[in-house]
Amino acid sequence: MTVLTVDTPGSSILPRRGGFAGALSDAFWRHPLLLLILMLTPPLLWLGIIYIGSLIALLLQSFFSIDDFSGVVNPEFTLATYAQLLNGTNLDIILRTVSMAALVTLASAVLAFPIAYYAARYAKGRWKAFFYLGVMLPLWSSYLVKVYAWKLILAKEGIVTWVFAKLHLGFVLEAILSLPVIGGNSLSVSYLGTFLVFVYIWLPYMILPTQAALERVPANLIEASADLGASPRQTFRTVLLPLALPGIVAGSIFTFSLTLGDYIIPQIIGSSRLFIGQAVYAQQGTAGNVPLAAAFSVVPIVIMGLYLAAAKRLGAFDAL
Amino acid sequence: MTPAVRFQKVSRHFGAVRAVDGVDLDVASGEFFAMLGPSGSGKTTCLRLIAGFEQPTAGSIEIFGERAEGVPPYRRNVNTVFQDYALFPHLNILDNVAYGLMVKGISKTDRYKEAEKALELVKLPGYGSRKPSQLSGGQRQRVALARALVNKPKVLLLDEPLGALDLKLREQMQEELKSLQRALGITFVFVTHDQGEALSMADRVAVFNNGGIVQQGTPQEIYRRPKTRFVADFVGSSNLLSPDLMASLGGERRWASLRPEAVRVASEGAEAVVENVSFLGAGTRLAVELGSARLHVMLPAGADVPDVGTPIRLSWNSQDIHYMDDAA
Amino acid sequence: MRSDRGQKSPLLLKVCAAGGLLFLHLPILLIFAYAFTTEEKSYQWPPPGLTLKWFAVAWNRADVWSALALSVQVACIATVIALVLGTLCAAAVSQTKFFGREAISLLVILPIALPGIVTGIALRSAFSLFDIPFSVWTIVLGHATFCVVVVYNNAVARFRRTSGSLIEASMDLGADGFQTFRHVILPNIGTALLAGGMLAFALSFDEVIVTTFTGGQQATLPIWMLEELIRPRQRPVTNVVAMLVVIVTFLPILAAYYLTRDGDQIAGSGK
């Protein structure tokens, strides 16, 4: 056995490494707060000043009003713009958007559950990776391309009409399209189309957190429930669903928020009636009424604030 | 002779929590020193104070006579074997061991030569090209040891070094650590909550409780003459005799301890009833009821073992009764 | 609900799960078919014929090239900024316990938690308030703001996985703060940063909502596509560009996945 030569004549405290780096390193070690402040300053300046500052500037504008004759913003405090927000047409826009967001969230949750459950409980090894990528790739692939794909699918001469015709079910499609409110000339100009595209685009955002929550449910818990005599339906309702709920709520934060603020999907696929996002875009752009646009954009902020507070109580943040 | 480590009135408070409170400590040069105590007793914080990961709130720390407060860990000629080994996952074993020499700017050839020597020392020659994830727990522990020793530290700190190993490996490593320490002559300070480990390896032991040292001494002193009930209870399996029991047995009305192997089954003495019998190989342990107290008696191998439920009489030499300072 | 028909034969569950995945992927695959169609005027299905000529047409379109160049330029700068800011934030939050770390997490997540239109209009009104003219930098500013979160999420996850005792071990072995950063921290979080950077690039490359507010007259590739969607000029060229965009964004996503697959997942809280 080779033994290390241990003749430790050296000092037990070593001198500082020379130069500026050595001194700086010692200073950071002695004052960790200094390092922390140095690390936090750039991101805080960026997000805190530029981003939050802009948001506050926006909020302030919503308390201004626009001069009806000159079209110039009058920088005096008023609630008139908010009063305008609550008139018939504008209130309709808000209600329409919120109900769409709620329906999209519900549909996403129902569609996402089997996929998430299968991926969490039954998929192993390579299949697990396959499922994960199978959800990640659509989530990350280009938003506009996905919307465009649905424009192709739902167009009057597109694949949906073709499939219905091939199955000799064209009359079913006709019947659906002739329904009041949700129907239209073709799927691509109907509420039904808008709804479908919203669900499609936001579905991956629901699958991932639901899967993450289900992943944490130990398999033996389900077996224990069955062992204790619960039917599959009872097991689902009393064990699985409560445990998956934080994940579903976490996913719903995305589906709800993203639907509330989107203005491109209803513009490209949908009827001519506006959603909040379109109203904001129109007011700040063509109409030039920035205060009203600001007031409109406060609506999703407030709704999401309430939604997040409720979600936090349900423990959804742990599932994000 | 200058002590390797000297604590004078050292405290480390975290807000209202007094992790270490007014500790005085001398570790002699070349000594194998154990800091023993339950979790939260302050022993690990003391180790981290020596390593430099913590700074004392009050008091002074000297390493071989040099003041260490305010000196960062990387400027202390002291190395640590971490509880979870903390091997760098992105480096192979050789680079792990050579890390300390690398940051000191020692050339590649020289540091790899030293690292190979250190790996031989811990009986892992030729393992250099593997990754930490390919090694067993025991092997990782040896690598962590080599990585610390290659720097020839003045003091080697070991934080629960054997905690993650299974029993057999642990006993083997205890012996190896001990002979390694003797061969190298480096001062070892190690932290453990396992009294057997502390007593079998250390030259001296400090028993910690509630952020302070309750007793310091050789393993024999700690085992034979525990200063307080806590030490008697924590170190070894001594019987604790309450003041009332002692009085009824004709002794002083004070807490006392009595080691199980000092008690004999005899024809004369205190009356007791056998409650339980455990065969331990090297001997047999009886649990007996003496008055309202429950005592353990260790019978040597080959002695007659009474049946459960039989009344027996117990005797001991009066010098085996050890009175303790206080009740705590 | 039918997803729990016992462990042995979850056939219905299997069908639902497979159907869900198909639903997610078929529309994207459809784009590939349309890129080869001979039909110019409508979205007719099935394509009346197949041709490669639109690839050549798209190749020769200067507006596509300039939009692509702007998108790449913006995405590169935004990614670099996001990498710096996200890593700093993640390091501060995970290496030290300090008051207000929850607030910092919230601040980083806010730009994607709030609808993109809010971020967009807020930045636009701030630009007009300070008379800042639209430029590449106004687009970059918006993109970097919401790209920070993907770098941050990846870095935080990796920091959490990297044992704190590694840093102590390095310092114990004589490495000062800078040496520890170079030899221990950077190698351990490197792949997570690379993955975060790729996701940030993909996110920026694809962004349209905020860009409509911060871009002025300049067209990034998504803005170009949006124009084509609202006022179609040459549909087959749009088809070809859409297909290329799908391919270009898939590559960094796949790379990011393989970089981080052992252990932490790519931050699902995407856009």
Side-chain angles (χ1 to χ4, degrees):
Chain A
M1 192 171 89
T2 325
V3 174
L4 289 178
T5 44
V6 179
D7 49 333
T8 43
S11 163
S12 56
I13 303 290
L14 309 171
R16 168 183 299 167
R17 191 160 73 111
F20 181 66
L24 200 60
S25 178
D26 275 21
F28 283 151
W29 181 81
R30 223 163 266 136
H31 309 284
L33 196 64
L34 185 70
L35 181 62
L36 187 67
I37 290 170
L38 270 177
M39 286 200 288
L40 278 177
T41 306
L44 284 189
L45 276 182
W46 189 286
L47 292 170
I49 308 272
I50 300 182
Y51 184 63
I52 299 293
S54 304
L55 282 182
I56 291 172
L58 179 69
L59 269 182
L60 286 179
Q61 300 225 36
S62 69
F63 291 104
F64 297 161
S65 64
I66 194 155
D67 190 296
D68 284 334
F69 299 105
S70 60
V72 174
V73 175
N74 177 16
E76 271 173 50
F77 178 83
T78 169
L79 287 175
T81 311
Y82 279 99
Q84 207 181 336
L85 191 65
L86 296 176
N87 78 16
T89 338
N90 292 340
L91 198 61
D92 274 351
I93 293 176
I94 295 171
L95 291 179
R96 185 178 303 133
T97 312
V98 172
S99 4
M100 178 62 90
L103 286 174
V104 166
T105 299
L106 206 65
S108 307
V110 171
L111 277 179
F113 196 87
I115 305 177
Y117 187 58
Y118 189 87
R121 180 114 192 266
Y122 295 101
K124 297 271 181 301
R126 298 179 69 168
W127 278 105
K128 190 143 210 138
F130 174 80
F131 260 86
Y132 184 68
L133 277 178
V135 177
M136 283 311 281
L137 286 178
L139 187 150
W140 280 94
S141 55
S142 171
Y143 164 87
L144 268 183
V145 170
K146 285 183 285 188
V147 178
Y148 181 58
W150 278 92
K151 180 119 187 145
L152 302 176
I153 292 169
L154 299 178
K156 210 168 178 59
E157 68 278 16
I159 194 165
V160 170
T161 318
W162 178 77
V163 167
F164 272 95
K166 281 279 169 194
L167 295 173
H168 303 290
L169 291 171
F171 64 95
V172 177
L173 187 61
E174 289 297 318
I176 293 172
L177 285 176
S178 61
L179 288 174
V181 185
I182 63 167
N185 200 9
S186 80
L187 276 174
S188 68
V189 291
S190 67
Y191 274 148
L192 200 60
T194 320
F195 171 77
L196 261 175
V197 179
F198 269 135
V199 171
Y200 171 79
I201 304 250
W202 309 138
L203 184 59
Y205 293 88
M206 182 61 96
I207 297 175
L208 288 177
T210 308
Q211 185 187 338
L214 284 172
E215 220 59 89
R216 275 175 244 168
V217 179
N220 56 16
L221 218 61
I222 294 156
E223 277 149 29
S225 168
D227 194 50
L228 293 168
S231 71
R233 187 179 299 270
Q234 283 171 314
T235 304
F236 173 76
R237 212 184 55 233
T238 56
V239 178
L240 215 46
L241 198 59
L243 287 168
L245 196 63
I248 297 174
V249 173
S252 76
I253 294 172
F254 292 110
T255 54
F256 203 82
S257 163
L258 291 167
T259 310
L260 275 187
D262 199 292
Y263 77 93
I264 288 180
I265 291 171
Q267 186 186 358
I268 291 172
I269 293 160
S271 67
S272 55
R273 279 157 292 193
L274 296 181
F275 283 76
I276 289 181
Q278 290 167 286
V280 172
Y281 190 72
Q283 289 300 340
Q284 72 89 34
T286 42
N289 190 345
V290 176
L292 186 58
F296 254 121
S297 62
V298 168
V299 175
I301 298 181
V302 170
I303 293 176
M304 282 321 292
L306 296 175
Y307 201 96
L308 287 175
K312 199 177 166 114
R313 285 182 164 222
L314 285 167
F317 287 111
D318 303 328
L320 276 181
Chain B
M1 193 173 170
T2 331
V5 178
R6 165 168 281 176
F7 275 31
Q8 282 176 309
K9 296 262 165 294
V10 170
S11 295
R12 177 68 175 103
H13 298 172
F14 299 96
V17 181
R18 302 171 166 220
V20 170
D21 207 22
V23 164
D24 288 305
L25 180 75
D26 272 2
V27 178
S29 177
E31 180 172 51
F32 202 130
F33 190 86
M35 302 205 276
L36 173 67
S39 62
S41 61
K43 58 188 191 312
T44 302
T45 308
C46 275
L47 196 80
R48 294 172 58 81
L49 282 163
I50 304 173
F53 303 134
E54 302 286 349
Q55 287 301 302
T57 322
S60 76
I61 298 174
E62 286 173 20
I63 301 172
F64 282 96
E66 291 183 87
R67 292 291 287 264
E69 306 102 75
V71 177
Y74 50 84
R75 283 179 43 216
R76 298 181 183 209
N77 201 353
V78 163
N79 289 115
T80 307
V81 175
F82 289 82
Q83 187 173 7
D84 63 354
Y85 315 138
L87 300 182
F88 303 122
H90 60 291
L91 300 178
N92 68 19
I93 298 305
L94 196 62
D95 280 319
N96 258 286
V97 177
Y99 186 88
L101 303 173
M102 186 262 291
V103 295
K104 282 190 195 77
I106 289 170
S107 78
K108 210 167 203 160
T109 352
D110 288 351
R111 67 179 190 246
Y112 282 167
K113 211 167 75 193
E114 289 294 307
E116 279 292 358
K117 267 201 240 169
L119 281 174
E120 267 174 52
L121 186 68
V122 297
K123 299 182 183 155
L124 285 177
Y127 277 68
S129 57
R130 305 196 191 183
K131 281 286 178 94
S133 55
Q134 296 169 299
L135 264 51
S136 70
Q139 291 170 328
R140 285 182 210 183
Q141 215 256 327
R142 288 161 189 265
V143 174
L145 197 59
R147 185 177 69 172
L149 288 174
V150 80
N151 303 296
K152 297 170 186 166
K154 303 279 276 193
V155 179
L156 183 74
L157 308 173
L158 303 107
D159 185 7
E160 302 267 6
L162 309 176
L165 304 181
D166 60 39
L167 183 65
K168 200 160 174 200
L169 205 52
R170 197 153 61 208
E171 284 173 351
Q172 184 194 341
M173 278 309 290
Q174 283 177 11
E175 286 168 24
E176 279 186 33
L177 274 179
K178 184 74 194 157
S179 54
L180 199 61
Q181 190 264 340
R182 222 176 284 126
L184 299 175
I186 296 177
T187 311
F188 277 32
V189 176
F190 89 110
V191 154
T192 181
H193 65 269
D194 182 322
Q195 38 90 13
E197 207 168 282
L199 297 185
S200 66
M201 291 162 78
D203 297 323
R204 281 198 313 130
V205 178
V207 184
F208 279 76
N209 192 28
N210 292 329
I213 295 177
V214 192
Q215 186 173 4
Q216 288 186 63
T218 63
Q220 291 82 358
E221 281 168 357
I222 303 267
Y223 187 73
R224 295 231 174 88
R225 287 188 291 283
K227 242 185 188 165
T228 72
R229 242 170 85 198
F230 170 79
V231 178
D233 200 24
F234 192 76
V235 180
S237 45
S238 274
N239 293 303
L240 288 179
L241 309 177
S242 71
D244 287 350
L245 183 64
M246 285 310 296
S248 71
L249 293 169
E252 294 176 41
R253 186 174 282 276
R254 281 168 66 193
W255 281 96
S257 74
L258 177 62
R259 283 171 294 119
E261 64 273 23
V263 187
R264 293 184 304 272
V265 178
S267 50
E268 297 280 293
E271 285 178 24
V273 178
V274 180
E275 290 267 291
N276 195 14
V277 177
S278 315
F279 176 65
L280 301 177
T284 304
R285 191 179 64 200
L286 306 180
V288 302
E289 195 150 294
L290 177 75
S292 60
R294 194 183 164 92
L295 302 188
H296 282 129
V297 178
M298 192 63 136
L299 299 178
D304 287 335
V305 178
D307 290 331
V308 172
T310 47
I312 52 172
R313 281 175 181 276
L314 302 174
S315 77
W316 50 83
N317 296 334
S318 60
Q319 69 262 30
D320 285 324
I321 290 287
H322 172 73
Y323 290 104
M324 292 176 293
D325 285 353
D326 57 6
Chain C
M1 191 81 196
R2 55 266 201 253
S3 53
D4 49 347
R5 281 278 171 262
Q7 196 153 11
K8 282 153 228 148
S9 58
L11 185 66
L12 200 53
L13 175 64
K14 217 182 245 174
V15 170
C16 287
L21 279 192
L22 273 182
F23 173 63
L24 285 175
H25 285 271
L26 281 182
I28 298 173
L29 293 177
L30 201 68
I31 289 285
F32 285 71
Y34 270 99
F36 299 95
T37 186
T38 48
E39 169 63 42
E40 280 183 53
K41 293 281 172 271
S42 75
Y43 301 124
Q44 187 191 340
W45 182 268
L50 298 175
T51 171
L52 285 172
K53 79 166 178 174
W54 302 118
F55 286 86
V57 175
W59 182 267
N60 291 319
R61 284 276 292 265
D63 55 338
V64 175
W65 281 108
S66 69
L68 179 68
L70 181 64
S71 274
V72 169
Q73 187 189 1
V74 167
C76 285
I77 305 172
T79 300
V80 169
I81 296 174
L83 272 174
V84 173
L85 298 182
T87 311
L88 284 174
C89 241
V93 163
S94 49
Q95 298 296 295
T96 346
K97 291 188 181 70
F98 64 94
F99 176 74
R101 36 189 292 183
E102 285 218 341
I104 299 222
S105 299
L106 184 69
L107 186 63
V108 173
I109 291 165
L110 205 57
I112 56 152
L114 287 181
I117 195 160
V118 174
T119 304
I121 191 174
L123 288 175
R124 189 194 186 105
S125 56
F127 293 153
S128 68
L129 201 64
F130 293 102
D131 281 326
I132 300 170
F134 292 118
S135 68
V136 176
W137 294 101
T138 51
I139 306 178
V140 165
L141 198 113
H143 284 201
T145 304
F146 57 76
C147 282
V148 171
V149 69
V150 289
V151 177
Y152 173 83
N153 277 353
N154 272 276
V156 157
R158 183 63 64 88
F159 273 128
R160 206 178 289 145
R161 226 158 45 102
T162 307
S163 149
S165 63
L166 287 187
I167 290 163
E168 287 189 345
S170 168
M171 292 211 159
D172 186 75
L173 293 165
D176 67 17
F178 297 103
Q179 289 172 314
T180 299
F181 180 77
R182 189 177 141 212
H183 296 299
V184 174
I185 299 177
L186 208 54
N188 272 294
I189 64 165
T191 51
L193 291 189
L194 198 56
M198 291 197 174
L199 295 181
F201 186 92
L203 193 56
S204 164
F205 190 77
D206 183 41
E207 213 292 327
V208 62
I209 293 187
V210 175
T211 318
T212 52
F213 291 95
T214 58
Q217 296 304 310
Q218 316 160 84
T220 59
L221 204 57
I223 296 281
W224 180 89
M225 270 197 72
L226 183 62
E227 284 295 318
E228 292 293 316
L229 282 184
I230 297 168
R231 281 175 287 278
R233 279 179 293 173
Q234 205 169 9
R235 292 177 187 198
V237 173
T238 318
N239 295 340
V240 169
V241 172
M243 183 180 117
L244 292 178
V245 167
V246 169
I247 294 170
V248 167
T249 40
F250 268 28
L251 294 178
I253 305 311
L254 279 174
Y257 170 73
Y258 283 105
L259 285 171
T260 54
R261 71 180 151 167
D262 34 279
D264 44 51
Q265 301 191 322
I266 307 171
S269 45
K271 315 192 180 185

